Amino acid sequence: MKNKIKYAVYALFNFASALTTRKRAFCNIAEGTHAGSITMTAGENIDMQNLLVSAGENEGEIIVAQTTSKPLGVCIDEGIKGEKLAVVLGGSTDSTFICRTSSDITEGDSVYSAPNGKVSAFASNGCYKIGVALCSATTGGVVEIDPQGFGESAWQFYSCGIYQWQSSTSTEKLSCAGLNENDVVIASIYAKGGSEKSVNATANSTGIQFQLDANGTAGSTKIAWIAIRKN
């Protein structure tokens, strides 16, 4: 069961100044702490401000983050490889920040890492949460973000189990408190009781609805399932 569950899981940022000012953080020192921002070395050319960045190949380097890159923060500078650039640390900043968008975003949306250092309202596989949009923005624009949950995996494990069929019908429901219709349930047939070959599963506020392609067998048909939630 553990292998099936693992397989299922795997298969499944002040506004104007941030855009117009090349703002520098205090230079790094060998030891010490940094209050919300840090200066790091560009590991590649960074052609515009307000892009998500992740760790580069060498210590102290940053590169433009991609969808599945764990983000360190938002680079509020632009520059060439080897230049010192200012990075706002999303997980420790006490302010909002600006990011560039790869999709239309509505005020209040949760936003996630997207290709080329940008953010999106859509949570793709392997992406990370960046925060909550404080304004609306169009594709290719900029958006102010409250960094709630910055750097967390966008999808989180909620619950899992093996459901044993209770009847000779093709549809049954498992009560599971706390789920909602935006949660994703992945299910597969763990043990066949008859001619059933596939199963679909959906979540709502009262539990999980299972739908087999043929009637199940009480006590014999078993369904492995896992529920995951978008942050």
Side-chain angles (χ1 to χ4, degrees):
M1 182 186 77
K2 290 183 178 179
N3 287 336
K4 287 189 176 183
I5 291 172
K6 287 181 180 178
Y7 177 79
V9 174
Y10 292 151
L12 296 173
F13 194 137
N14 200 288
F15 193 94
S17 63
L19 289 174
T20 60
T21 304
R22 287 174 60 87
K23 184 178 178 182
R24 298 291 181 176
F26 290 109
C27 291
N28 292 343
I29 55 176
E31 298 178 357
T33 60
H34 302 84
S37 63
I38 190 171
T39 299
M40 301 187 77
T41 303
E44 63 182 3
N45 293 344
I46 297 179
D47 297 332
M48 60 180 69
Q49 299 170 302
N50 305 319
L51 295 179
L52 294 172
V53 290
S54 58
E57 183 177 348
N58 300 310
E59 184 175 354
E61 281 187 347
I62 51 169
I63 57 174
V64 175
Q66 301 301 324
T67 303
T68 59
S69 305
K70 177 75 171 179
L72 292 178
V74 179
C75 184
I76 56 174
D77 283 335
E78 58 184 86
I80 62 173
K81 182 177 180 179
E83 189 175 358
K84 298 291 186 180
L85 304 179
V87 177
V88 174
L89 302 171
S92 63
T93 183
D94 58 358
S95 69
T96 62
F97 51 70
I98 304 298
C99 281
R100 297 189 179 270
T101 64
S102 69
S103 73
D104 291 350
I105 291 174
T106 300
E107 179 183 2
D109 281 350
S110 291
V111 294
Y112 305 93
S113 57
N116 304 316
K118 299 182 179 181
V119 299
S120 172
F122 304 103
S124 302
N125 287 340
C127 71
Y128 292 87
K129 187 174 182 182
I130 303 304
V132 175
L134 298 179
C135 61
S136 297
T138 57
T139 302
V142 293
V143 62
E144 184 179 10
I145 296 173
D146 176 358
Q148 298 178 27
F150 182 94
E152 294 179 358
S153 177
W155 296 95
Q156 297 288 338
F157 168 81
Y158 182 78
S159 187
C160 66
I162 300 291
Y163 177 75
Q164 181 172 289
W165 216 251
Q166 303 295 309
S167 70
S168 59
T169 64
S170 63
T171 303
E172 287 195 2
K173 188 170 186 177
L174 167 65
S175 296
C176 188
L179 285 174
N180 62 65
E181 61 184 9
N182 294 317
D183 294 332
V184 174
V185 180
I186 301 170
S188 63
I189 296 176
Y190 182 76
K192 294 176 62 175
S195 61
E196 67 274 30
K197 296 179 180 179
S198 63
V199 60
N200 291 322
T202 56
N204 57 43
S205 60
T206 60
I208 301 171
Q209 187 82 22
F210 295 113
Q211 177 70 58
L212 292 166
D213 64 329
N215 288 343
T217 302
S220 297
T221 300
K222 297 180 181 181
I223 307 299
W225 61 273
I226 181 170
I228 56 177
R229 173 164 294 174
K230 184 170 69 173
N231 283 330

